[in-house]
Amino acid sequence: MQKHQESHRPSSPAPDTIPSTQAAAPSSADIKRWRQYLADERAEAAVYRELAQRRDGEERQILLALAEAEGRHEAHWLKLLGEHAGMPKAASGRSQLLGFFARHFGSVFVLALAQRAEGRSPYSTDPAATPAMAADEQIHEEVVRGLATRGRNRLSGTFRAAVFGANDGLVSNLSLVMGMAATGVPSPVVLMSGVAGLLAGALSMGAGEYVSVRSQRELLNATLPTQATLTAAPSLDIEHNELVLVYLARGMTREAAEHRAAERMGLFSCDCDPSLSFHPEEEETADEHESVGSAWGAAMSSFCFFASGAIVPILPFIFGMTGFAALVVAGALVGVALLATGAVVGLLSGTSPLSRGLRQLAIGLGAAAATYGLGLAFGAVIV
């Protein structure tokens, strides 16, 4: 990978791009910091080039332009270091993680991490970096945000169902298991309750997602224009042209509506004004970046992920554990899973994975603890 990075090393920048404040011999701390910057710039440029290889068209050109910009920053640090550049230094853990994701996973994860990394650039406070470099990093954050948004929207349907399905399965079944256990019922009853909660919840989630997405698609389809204007136009009375009303209702200006109605009725045979000329209506398709996902895809995703989450709290009981020890193990397993789902959401949203994971953990265990307390209360009443 290092050879690949060095093969794209850009030419050195003009001398006037180096801050005059760094004309003196650099200290050992400066050299160490600049070498780290250099390694990270090389790694980030390689990440963008890696992503560009998997893209085409406009997105490919944007990613290559980002790599070129990182190359200019690399050249800046090389110029400052001079003979102190030494052997290539390992990139930071963050940059290495970006490279790993770029090589093995989808670009959504990489771009989400890169967005966060670009927003935390130290160049704005480092006197050795030029103002242009600091501005570049700020712009890069917005560019990467735009690219990441496209990927996030592609995942908006089934991914939403998957994440929330798993989270609901974890929290609801852990709460159910702890609530039942707190009442003092035998462990087999707790296990059967957990299995029943898994099946009922998974089926409910799957059915709910199917109805939700199906209904959303039906509402969207109801707003699409039909072919009525094409079939009815030849028979309309030109003196009482109600076809204009159709286009006005669709949001056109009166001038554009009258022009399009005349086209439909065959009065215009040329594009007299291309800005007002329209092609016959065709069935519109939703933008691929605003997809709501398929109803069956969302239903199956929600069913499977709810079940995968709901089975975690009952694993200790399945393997024969009983009593309070089983509850502790169930809580620990669910806690790890909640941290993981929260971290994934944090990664994709470009925010801190740790903070999102801890938030999921607090909410999930808080709900389980509240249910356990209610179970204790009901158990005392029953006894």
Side-chain angles (χ1 to χ4, degrees):
M1 179 176 175
Q2 187 62 46
K3 292 181 179 179
H4 175 71
Q5 294 170 357
E6 292 181 351
S7 63
H8 292 81
R9 180 177 296 175
S11 58
S12 298
D16 60 357
T17 62
I18 301 175
S20 58
T21 58
Q22 299 298 327
S27 66
S28 59
D30 289 335
I31 293 173
K32 180 180 179 180
R33 188 175 72 257
W34 298 347
R35 292 189 68 214
Q36 188 63 63
Y37 289 159
L38 176 62
D40 288 342
E41 293 290 2
R42 286 174 173 171
E44 289 171 12
V47 166
Y48 289 133
R49 284 193 291 268
E50 183 76 29
L51 293 177
Q53 292 178 5
R54 305 183 183 186
R55 287 284 189 257
D56 52 25
E58 183 182 67
E59 287 191 37
R60 175 182 173 85
Q61 296 305 315
I62 293 173
L63 289 165
L64 290 175
L66 289 173
E68 182 180 354
E70 302 295 357
R72 291 195 300 271
H73 298 174
E74 174 191 341
H76 171 83
W77 300 119
L78 277 173
K79 187 72 174 180
L80 276 182
L81 285 166
E83 61 182 11
H84 300 291
M87 295 295 293
K89 181 180 175 63
S92 65
R94 172 183 55 78
S95 297
Q96 292 184 44
L97 182 63
L98 278 174
F100 177 81
F101 275 123
R103 293 188 298 272
H104 298 94
F105 295 94
S107 61
V108 177
F109 287 94
V110 183
L111 291 172
L113 283 171
Q115 173 188 327
R116 180 169 172 79
E118 296 285 6
R120 300 171 66 182
S121 172
Y123 290 171
S124 60
T125 58
D126 196 316
T130 66
M133 291 171 63
D136 281 350
E137 297 299 315
Q138 291 179 322
I139 294 300
H140 290 178
E141 180 184 7
E142 294 306 312
V143 173
V144 174
R145 188 193 306 276
L147 293 175
T149 297
R150 299 183 182 188
R152 292 181 184 119
N153 287 335
R154 294 186 188 108
L155 294 174
S156 61
T158 55
F159 177 78
R160 174 182 56 84
V163 170
F164 289 110
N167 189 72
D168 284 350
L170 289 164
V171 175
S172 65
N173 227 28
L174 177 63
S175 298
L176 174 61
V177 166
M178 295 192 74
M180 289 296 295
T183 63
V185 298
S187 293
V189 176
V190 175
L191 175 59
M192 288 301 100
S193 299
V195 172
L198 184 157
L199 294 174
L203 289 170
S204 176
M205 288 288 292
E209 280 295 334
Y210 178 85
V211 172
S212 174
V213 176
R214 186 72 178 179
S215 299
Q216 186 176 0
R217 283 195 168 278
E218 289 171 352
L219 288 173
L220 291 175
N221 290 335
T223 66
L224 297 177
T226 67
Q227 299 294 318
T229 57
L230 296 179
T231 57
S235 302
L236 290 174
D237 183 354
I238 192 171
E239 298 297 330
H240 302 88
N241 190 355
E242 295 185 5
L243 194 55
V244 174
L245 300 180
V246 174
Y247 299 126
L248 288 174
R250 292 180 184 175
M252 296 184 184
T253 65
R254 176 163 293 278
E255 182 183 12
E258 292 176 350
H259 189 280
R260 188 167 189 179
E263 285 186 323
R264 290 294 173 271
M265 301 183 73
L267 300 182
F268 290 160
S269 59
C270 65
D271 287 342
C272 307
D273 184 351
S275 66
L276 299 176
S277 181
F278 297 90
H279 298 291
E281 290 94 334
E282 297 178 356
E283 182 179 355
E284 297 183 16
T285 57
D287 191 315
E288 64 171 339
H289 303 314
E290 297 295 336
S291 174
V292 297
S294 69
W296 279 111
M300 292 303 298
S301 177
S302 182
F303 177 91
C304 293
F305 277 87
F306 183 96
S308 67
I311 199 173
V312 174
I314 61 175
L315 285 176
F317 297 93
I318 292 176
F319 287 99
M321 296 186 68
T322 60
F324 188 73
L327 292 181
V328 171
V329 173
L333 292 175
V334 170
V336 172
L338 287 172
L339 285 172
T341 58
V344 170
V345 173
L347 285 175
L348 291 176
S349 62
T351 56
S352 170
L354 179 60
S355 66
R356 292 296 180 269
L358 291 175
R359 184 180 67 179
Q360 294 282 86
L361 178 64
I363 293 173
L365 294 187
T371 310
Y372 184 78
L374 291 173
L376 287 174
F378 282 114
V381 171
I382 293 174
V383 172

